[in-house]
């Protein structure tokens, strides 16, 4: 804890020195009594403005950290700049008033003592003024650099131990946000990590990885030709609250999905490739891993019709599928609509669509999911002439986790808590009920028997913090259900969101297309793997192993475990993880070059 204090103070001095620069370059100037009074008023206003900005920023950062286990980064700007929902969430859910008042009182006390201690003397000689200025300037430069070492301190300096929570506590959130703004807004930060002199070897190693994870099929292919497909992406549907995935869950939260999983092809080890909806939707729809930096959904290369990430949807175009995306919120948020259009979707329905009822109710994120299920059924009814793909992205299981009033009493028996995943239990139970009602309503539809249903999630929620983004935080459901599937199957192969479409194509006897996708079919034999990218971290998950590292850093950690529900003790690792480091690094580098230079492959 002493190291924590010394580390955090050193980074705090960097920020305080930057914020003091306007005072440093003005306070030593000679002023008359008249202008000195005005100058002091300006200085007090500036300090007050800085304090107010810090209060708002740090209050939001606390809530952000509670949810995502890391400080504010550039994704906050993406959310704030994309629409009003993010700011409405801040105002409604983040405790701005209480925290703000606490900080205002403490800041006023500090400012009061500061004023009492500071003596303004405008009578000092010119020589003393110059000497004092240069001493102050030298000290400020040292503090701005974080010391007299060769290179200025970076955000990685805060990672001073193996306890992730202490590392995050040592980090100055404003410093972290500033670095994120400068670095993550450009991919140059990852140049050294992603660079390879031998791209052909990267691709060769990737193909070998595919080969050992694509052996004979675990599923006996039945005659399934061009079925309708409905993909339901559940917001934040973490496995911690899923009875069919969590063997330690005593409360009955997802009884319908449990029964559905028993009649389906279900995967017990599916992981999200990222930590935000933008990353998850990108990976599901493109069968492509999350890359360092911005999500694929936001990158300009995604607008290129020849991009490798359009191959899954191009396959559906070749097969004559009509594609509809349904979302209860504003589809301009996170560039969702633009991405869907660029990716070949024929129609995007969101809360701005004229077909939607003006009386629909919901949260700031979108209409309630049971209302949007009506649109799913309507679109399926209207598009029976050709095979269709309907992708429905839900919104209700998102902070503030509000259950519609008419359903509220139905889930009062479910206990919640202060943490996000605990608060999500009731809305996850609501989603389970919505899905049960949906399947009851469509049972007699003419298109039902020829439809494959996929149920998964965009990402999980923070459950554990003992290592950076514990694998259980991103452990999500992946269920494939259809009357066309006669033999239920439970698969424990490690898969991720990028494997969802390849698995579907495999079930549809479209093996010839599988090599066009970066993901691997989940019904092919093999141990499998999942690659997760979150901020500056890379995580590689295989059966009984987790390897993670900070990209571009020499730090890496390999952990053994028996199953995903074990407590992962970071001190119990018995291997250095060099093999996993090489495999994971080459894998993501190959994905990067394929995406950036699609025409080369």
């Amino acid at each position: 804890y002493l190291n924590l204090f010394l580390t955090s103070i050193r980074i705090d001095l960097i920020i305080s020195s930057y914020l003091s620069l306007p005072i440093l370059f003005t306070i030593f100037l000679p002023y008359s009594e008249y202008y000195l009074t005005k100058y002091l008023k300006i200085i007090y206003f500036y300090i007050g403005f800085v304090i107010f900005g810090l209060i708002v920023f740090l209050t939001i950062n606390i809530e952000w950290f509670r949810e995502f286990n890391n400080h504010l980064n550039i994704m906050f700007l993406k959310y704030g700049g994309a629409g009003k929902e993010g700011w409405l969430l801040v105002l409604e859910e983040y405790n701005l008033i209480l925290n703000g008042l606490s900080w205002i009182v403490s800041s006023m006390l500090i400012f009061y003592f500061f004023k009492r201690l500071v003596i303004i003397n405008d009578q000092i000689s010119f020589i003393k003024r110059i000497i004092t200025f240069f001493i102050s300037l030298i000290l400020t430069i040292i503090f701005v650099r974080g010391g007299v070492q060769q290179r200025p301190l970076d955000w990685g300096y805060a990672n001073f131990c193996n306890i992730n929570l202490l590392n995050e506590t040592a980090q100055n959130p404003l410093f972290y946000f500033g670095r994120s703004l400068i670095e993550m807004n450009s991919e140059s930060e990852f140049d050294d990590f992603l660079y390879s002199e031998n791209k052909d070897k990267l691709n060769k190693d990737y193909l070998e990885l595919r080969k050992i994870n694509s052996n004979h099929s675990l599923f006996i292919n039945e005659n399934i030709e061009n079925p309708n497909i409905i993909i339901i992406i559940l917001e934040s549907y973490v496995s911690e609250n899923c009875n069919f995935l969590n063997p330690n869950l005593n409360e009955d939260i997802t009884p319908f999905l449990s029964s559905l999983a028993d009649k389906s092809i279900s995967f017990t080890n599916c992981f999200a490739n990222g930590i935000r909806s933008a990353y998850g939707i990108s990976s599901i729809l493109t069968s492509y891993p999350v890359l360092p930096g911005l999500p694929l959904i936001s990158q300009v290369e995604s607008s290129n019709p020849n991009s490798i990430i359009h191959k899954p949807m191009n396959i559906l175009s070749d097969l004559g599928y009509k594609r509809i995306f349904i979302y209860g919120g504003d589809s301009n948020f996170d560039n969702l609509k633009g991405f869907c259009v660029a990716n070949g979707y024929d129609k995007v329905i969101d809360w701005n669509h004229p077909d939607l009822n003006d009386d629909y109710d919901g949260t700031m994120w979108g209409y309630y999911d049971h209302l949007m299920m009506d649109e799913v059924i309507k679109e399926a009814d209207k598009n029976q002439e050709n095979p269709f793909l309907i992708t429905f992205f839900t919104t209700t299981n998102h902070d503030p986790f509000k259950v519609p009033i008419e359903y509220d009493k139905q889930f009062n028996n479910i206990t919640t808590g202060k943490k996000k995943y605990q608060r999500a239990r009731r809305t996850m139970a609501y989603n389970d009920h919505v899905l049960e009602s949906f399947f009851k309503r469509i049972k007699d539809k003419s298109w039902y028997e020829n439809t494959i249903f996929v149920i998964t999630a965009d990402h999980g929620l923070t459950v554990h913090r003992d290592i950076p983004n514990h694998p259980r935080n991103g452990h999500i459901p992946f269920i494939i259900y259809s009357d066309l599937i006669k033999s239920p199957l439970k698969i424990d192969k490690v898969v991720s969101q990028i494997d969802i479409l390849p698995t579907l194509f495999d079930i549809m006897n479209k093996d010839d297309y599988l090599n066009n996708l970066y993901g691997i079919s989940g019904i092919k034999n093999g141990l499998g793997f999942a690659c997760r990218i979150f901020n500056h971290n890379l995580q590689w998950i295989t059966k009984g192993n987790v390897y993670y590292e900070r990209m571009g850093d020499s730090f890496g950690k390999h952990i053994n475990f028996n199953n995903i529900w074990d407590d992962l003790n970071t001190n119990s690792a018995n291997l250095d993880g060099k093999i996993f480091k090489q495999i994971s690094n080459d894998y993501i580098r190959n994905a990067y070059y394929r995406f950036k230079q699609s025409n080369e492959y």
Side-chain angles (χ1 to χ4, degrees), residues 53-68 70-73 76 86-87 89-91 94-96 99-100 103 173 177:
L54 287 173
I55 288 171
V56 174
F57 179 88
L58 295 174
T59 300
I60 296 173
N61 181 74
I62 283 177
E63 302 294 340
W64 182 277
F65 185 86
R66 283 178 180 169
E67 182 170 3
F68 301 112
N70 66 306
H71 297 291
L72 283 174
N73 53 57
F76 179 76
W87 295 109
L89 177 67
V90 167
L91 293 174
Y94 289 8
N95 212 347
L96 289 176
N99 288 330
W103 273 325
F177 182 77

Side-chain angles (χ1 to χ4, degrees), residues 135-158:
I135 292 174
S136 301
L137 179 62
I138 292 169
L139 289 173
T140 300
I141 292 172
I142 292 173
F143 290 151
V144 162
R145 297 182 77 260
V148 294
Q149 70 284 341
Q150 186 177 8
R151 295 175 64 88
L153 291 185
D154 205 337
W155 57 268
Y157 177 73

